[in-house]
Structures are given as C-alpha cells and as structure tokens.
C-alpha cells in the first residue's frame, strides 16, 4: 500500500495574560502590535538568535464580548490574553518584570498532518475583496461573502471544505493610532471556524507558518487546528 503524503509543522507559541492596565492600553491595536514584537527585540543576553521579521510573527487575541454602539456595529473589547507564534524563542521577562504581563507560558507546538485527515480550524481573520473601481481592499459585508472568502483561502492551503462547514462569525471593528504618523487604524475581523479535509499537507504546513489573509500585524491570520480522531 502506498503511504499517504504527510508533513510536519513545528513552531514556538506563547500564551500571554495581560495585566488590567495593559489590557486598557492595548485596546489600541497598534500598541498591541508593538507589545507582541517587543518580545523579540528584548532577547536574552548572550543569545545568538536573530530577531524574526514581523511577517513571521502571528498572534491571536482573546477578548471579552464585543460592544454594540448606536449604529449597531460591534466594537472589539480590550485584549485579555494573546497567543503568539514565531519561529524563535521570545523573551517576555522584561514585560513581566514591568508588570505588563501577569503570565507568559512558552511551549513548542508540532502538527503532523496526513492526506485525508479531518481537522477543525479556528482563525481570527480579516476577509476582504478588491474594489473594482478603486483597486483597494475593502472588508466583505455579509456572512456569506466571508464564508466564501475563507473557503478560497483554505483551498489554497491544501484543504477541502464545504461551505456548510464554515462558521463566519460576526464582523467586529478594532481601532488604533500609528505612533509615528498619528494615522488612525481601523481593521475588521471575524472569529471564524471550519471543518476541513487535508488534501495537501505541505500546503497546509505553509499556511500554518505564514497565516492567511491580511491584517496580520493586528492579530489576524493565525490558524489554530485540531485533528479530529
């Protein structure tokens, strides 16, 4: 019997719990972005590891219940916990010592996937489309559009997914201000879930490493998978 193609993905993840004051500060998504990257700029003394490029760092924030304003648009609650993924060991001790983090657990992750495996997927994503008039990326408006967007991204990640097995989640707005320019940031995300069958393990391993979709600097794109036995 010919063995089925397989691939192994390994990485380092960190589970961070923010202090209450830091949660309030990191309600600004740019400040949250800087907090995550600071774990790689403060390497331990004597380390020979190189700081990873920002594009290699993925993260996902666990937040409270989104708030609904006058326009009924949902606004993100401040981040309480963060899951960070990067190819190198971080150093969170300066943030812990400063009281900005209550807890920081660092652990290895390994996924061994084989063609035909069934997996459950969770991802905080920023589904977008290209505006035909301006050429700019704009957030998709409806749950159906968001489901089709994720369906395409998962297909490019070596996965077969039925649209009926995608939960698009609700669209939520998060905001921030860039430190240098003062420009305002607005990003829309959905907490999405799907069940898929692995067709190409190598493509899936690449998607796990690189993430999916835009707005990765603001906590979108990190795939979290669980193999269904």
């Amino acid at each position: 019997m010919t063995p089925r193609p397989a691939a192994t993905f390994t990485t380092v993840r960190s589970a961070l719990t923010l202090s209450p004051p830091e949660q309030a500060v990191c309600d600004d998504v740019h400040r949250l972005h800087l907090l995550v990257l600071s774990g790689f700029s403060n390497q331990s003394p004597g380390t020979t590891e190189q700081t990873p490029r920002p594009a290699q760092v993925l993260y996902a924030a666990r937040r409270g219940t989104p708030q609904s304003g006058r326009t009924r648009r949902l606004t993100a609650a401040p981040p309480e916990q963060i899951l960070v993924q990067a190819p190198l060991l971080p150093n969170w001790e300066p943030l812990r010592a400063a009281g900005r983090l209550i807890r920081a657990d660092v652990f290895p992750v390994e996924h061994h996937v084989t063609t035909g495996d069934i997996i459950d997927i969770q991802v905080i994503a920023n589904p977008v489309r290209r505006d035909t008039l301006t050429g700019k990326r704009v957030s998709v408006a409806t749950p159906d559009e968001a489901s089709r967007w994720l369906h395409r991204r998962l297909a490019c990640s070596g996965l077969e997914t039925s649209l009926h097995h995608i939960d698009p989640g609700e669209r939520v707005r998060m905001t921030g201000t860039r430190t240098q320019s003062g420009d305002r940031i607005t990003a829309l995300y959905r907490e999405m879930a799907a069940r898929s069958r692995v067709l190409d393990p190598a493509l899936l391993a690449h998607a796990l490493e690189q993430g999916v979709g835009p707005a990765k600097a603001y906590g979108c794109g990190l795939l979290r998978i669980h193999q269904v036995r």
Side-chain angles (χ1 to χ4, degrees), residues 106-182:
V106 180
F107 50 93
V109 170
E110 179 174 300
H111 290 299
H112 182 75
V113 289
T114 304
T115 300
D117 284 353
I118 304 299
I119 61 173
D120 284 334
I121 299 165
Q122 291 181 310
V123 59
I124 296 173
N126 175 226
V128 296
R129 63 176 177 81
R130 188 72 66 178
D131 186 281
T132 54
L133 295 177
T134 65
K136 296 180 179 180
R137 291 187 302 193
V138 295
S139 173
V140 301
T142 69
D144 284 347
E145 287 178 301
S147 293
R148 289 194 292 271
W149 177 91
L150 184 60
H151 185 269
R152 293 191 296 271
R153 293 301 178 278
L154 295 180
C156 293
S157 302
L159 298 169
E160 179 183 59
T161 314
S162 168
L163 284 171
H164 298 293
H165 289 156
I166 295 177
D167 178 359
E170 296 185 282
R171 189 165 66 161
V172 183
R173 185 172 67 100
M174 51 186 174
T175 60
T177 304
R178 290 187 175 88
T179 306
Q180 298 295 330
S181 64

